């Protein structure tokens, strides 16, 4: 199965629609993500499925069997790579990760984007300042990311020296917060 076929199939099984949610939750002051309203009374998965910029992430979360986890109570902070971030990975590598035989590896990569806390950007910036310009971030996937400031933006460096920038911060969820990032972070090789 190709990545595009997998994403199409994963999205076809999603029962939520942005229009229905928009009608029932108008008036939120959360930032828009991927052209969709994000509702603080919905969980991470319920909001992510509506973002046109996160279809690959949603498909990967489904392939790794992490939907129920990310719909759980939390709290979670998710650094959510966009489709463009996943496009920086070769189609061959991404297709291989979406195969059932790679589920454990995919789950580890994805959980290296998740922190077991509700960390808003001002709290992260404060920890960076308190730690002299760089703050270690422990993820549920066992990775340690290094958070630092680049002007007014938070950046994260993975264990391989790859940098991601938070492009949309503080997207509140019922079970935590999403920060949109521009690169997929990987565990140490």
């Amino acid at each position: 199965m190709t990545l595009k076929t997998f994403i199409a199939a994963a999205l076809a099984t999603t029962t939520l629609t942005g229009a229905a949610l928009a009608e029932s939750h108008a008036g939120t002051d959360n930032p828009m993500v991927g052209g969709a309203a994000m509702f603080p009374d919905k969980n991470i998965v319920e909001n992510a499925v509506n973002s046109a910029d996160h279809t690959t992430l949603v498909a990967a979360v489904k392939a790794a069997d992490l939907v129920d986890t990310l719909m759980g109570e939390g709290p979670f902070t998710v650094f959510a790579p966009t489709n463009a971030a996943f496009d920086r990975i070769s189609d061959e590598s991404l297709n291989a990760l979406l195969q059932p035989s790679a589920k454990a590896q995919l789950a580890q990569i994805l959980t290296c984007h998740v922190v077991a806390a509700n960390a808003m950007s001002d709290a992260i910036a404060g920890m960076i300042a308190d730690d002299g310009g760089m703050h270690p971030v422990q993820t549920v996937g066992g990775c340690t990311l290094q958070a630092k400031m680049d002007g007014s933006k938070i950046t994260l460096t993975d264990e391989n020296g790859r940098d991601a920038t938070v492009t949309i911060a503080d997207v509140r969820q019922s079970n935590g917060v999403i920060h949109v990032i521009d690169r997929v972070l990987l565990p140490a090789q």
Side-chain angles (χ1 to χ4, degrees):
M1 174 181 301
T2 69
L3 174 62
K4 290 181 182 179
T5 304
F6 184 85
I7 291 171
L11 292 176
T13 63
T14 302
T15 59
L16 300 174
T17 64
L21 284 173
E23 286 179 25
S24 65
H25 301 281
T28 181
D29 62 352
N30 245 356
M32 299 274 288
V33 176
M38 298 285 117
F39 306 105
D41 62 338
K42 295 293 178 186
N43 67 50
I44 291 164
V45 174
E46 290 170 327
N47 275 319
V49 298
N50 293 309
S51 169
D53 290 344
H54 290 91
T55 56
T56 305
L57 177 60
V58 168
V61 166
K62 289 179 180 185
D65 285 334
L66 293 173
V67 171
D68 289 341
T69 300
L70 292 175
M71 290 181 79
E73 186 176 323
F76 302 110
T77 297
V78 175
F79 297 104
T82 61
N83 293 341
F86 279 99
D87 287 346
R88 296 173 79 171
I89 299 171
S90 73
D91 284 344
E92 181 181 332
S93 294
L94 202 48
N95 285 333
L97 280 172
L98 292 172
Q99 299 305 310
S101 60
K103 186 161 91 172
Q105 182 183 11
L106 179 60
Q108 183 187 16
I109 291 169
L110 294 175
T111 56
C112 280
H113 293 79
V114 180
V115 178
N118 187 2
M120 300 298 280
S121 63
D122 59 347
I124 298 169
M127 289 182 270
I128 293 168
D130 290 347
D131 285 349
M134 188 176 300
H135 178 72
V137 177
Q138 299 298 317
T139 70
V140 298
C143 301
T144 302
L145 307 175
Q146 299 298 324
K148 56 187 178 253
M149 299 302 296
D150 183 7
S152 63
K153 299 258 186 190
I154 295 170
T155 64
L156 301 164
T157 303
D158 69 15
E159 296 171 335
N160 301 291
R162 300 158 46 97
D163 293 320
T165 300
V166 174
T167 58
I168 302 174
D170 300 334
V171 186
R172 291 178 320 283
Q173 315 290 302
S174 65
N175 60 346
V177 62
I178 292 174
H179 302 291
V180 177
I181 59 173
D182 63 357
R183 187 157 199 184
V184 176
L185 302 166
L186 299 174
Q189 298 177 349

